[in-house]
Amino acid sequence: RYGQLTYLRVYQGSLRKGQTIKMGGEGKTVKLPRIVRMHADEMEDVDSVGAGEIVAMFGVECPSGTTFCDPSLDMTMTSIHVPEGVMSLSIKPKNTKDNDTFSKALNRFMFEDPTLRVEVDNETNETIISGMGELHLDIYCQRLEREYSCPVEVGRPKVAYRETLTQRAEFNYLHKKQSGGSGQYGRVIGYMEPLEEDAKEPYVFANEMIGNAIPPEFIP
């Protein structure tokens, strides 16, 4: 309805309509053509505001937590603490044709809200969103449909189950294959067992062969 609105709080000094301010840390300057005080879904234009007031400005693209200051200064406030998400959901667009819109919207939401995390699980290939609770994530699902016309399906994230050894297992395999010529023949004897829980290596291969009956290049 109003386009890009950026909310800010004045901590010191004053802010005036038409004033030029600088993004602390980046050095980029922006001019404030309009300052408004929001009242629910209505806004009131103001010419200046003082310390402690919360207002909105138009047309300024910046991530949450950006510090603005006078162009003659160069300072930034301590960055806000962003807690880890307490709830996660898998999410995907109902229509595959909305994939581009879906990605664009999630990137925009993360830009606005540092407590929203989005990642792709490399094992299940699911898009996972994490936030501060069920209501937090539900609001973004509603915004996807309301603001971007991209209805989504949500559910519990899948878990990639793995198998592992719990005790020693021996093997004795005989390989025989005749495919013309001299054919193939070999026997593999060995065992596998779990490593200690605090082992740093993912696996240990122990070669207990005597002599060079098998050429070294065939042994890992």
Side-chain angles (χ1 to χ4, degrees):
R1 180 180 174 183
Y2 301 125
Q4 173 63 34
L5 270 179
T6 301
Y7 288 85
L8 62 89
R9 179 179 181 181
V10 182
Y11 278 89
Q12 186 177 14
S14 61
L15 194 65
R16 300 181 306 278
K17 177 181 177 180
Q19 182 180 355
T20 298
I21 55 178
K22 183 172 68 173
M23 290 187 184
E26 293 187 14
K28 178 182 177 182
T29 57
V30 293
K31 189 174 183 179
L32 300 179
R34 191 178 178 189
I35 304 174
V36 296
R37 185 180 288 117
M38 300 299 298
H39 301 278
D41 61 345
E42 297 182 357
M43 58 186 180
E44 171 194 357
D45 283 275
V46 292
D47 293 328
S48 64
V49 290
E53 295 194 66
I54 298 175
V55 292
M57 52 186 178
F58 284 84
V60 178
E61 291 279 347
C62 64
S64 296
T66 300
T67 300
F68 292 93
C69 59
D70 187 271
S72 62
L73 304 174
D74 187 13
M75 60 177 63
T76 56
M77 298 185 66
T78 303
S79 59
I80 59 176
H81 169 67
V82 181
E84 293 293 329
V86 298
M87 181 176 180
S88 298
L89 291 174
S90 67
I91 185 171
K92 66 178 180 179
K94 289 185 177 179
N95 303 312
T96 55
K97 64 181 179 63
D98 293 331
N99 282 338
D100 290 342
T101 302
F102 176 72
S103 298
K104 178 182 177 182
L106 290 182
N107 286 330
R108 181 68 193 178
F109 294 158
M110 285 193 295
F111 188 74
E112 297 174 355
D113 183 359
T115 63
L116 179 70
R117 309 286 178 88
V118 180
E119 61 182 2
V120 176
D121 190 311
N122 293 327
E123 296 180 345
T124 62
N125 208 30
E126 286 184 313
T127 300
I128 307 297
I129 57 173
S130 303
M132 296 297 100
E134 183 178 0
L135 179 61
H136 184 208
L137 299 180
D138 188 49
I139 288 173
Y140 283 111
C141 293
Q142 293 176 17
R143 286 186 62 186
L144 277 164
E145 184 168 0
R146 184 177 65 250
E147 298 177 16
Y148 292 86
S149 301
C150 179
V152 296
E153 295 178 354
V154 297
R156 293 181 178 179
K158 294 179 181 178
V159 177
Y161 291 98
R162 295 184 177 91
E163 294 182 343
T164 187
L165 292 168
T166 58
Q167 59 186 9
R168 176 174 169 138
E170 298 182 354
F171 55 86
N172 187 336
Y173 174 70
L174 177 64
H175 174 75
K176 291 193 297 184
K177 184 176 182 180
Q178 188 67 41
S179 57
S182 58
Q184 300 175 354
Y185 178 88
R187 181 182 293 274
V188 182
I189 303 173
Y191 65 89
M192 301 176 69
E193 62 182 356
L195 293 172
E196 298 294 332
E197 290 187 2
D198 58 350
K200 296 182 179 180
E201 303 85 355
Y203 69 92
V204 175
F205 177 80
N207 179 15
E208 297 183 0
M209 285 192 55
I210 299 175
N212 290 319
I214 297 178
E217 60 266 23
F218 293 109
I219 300 177

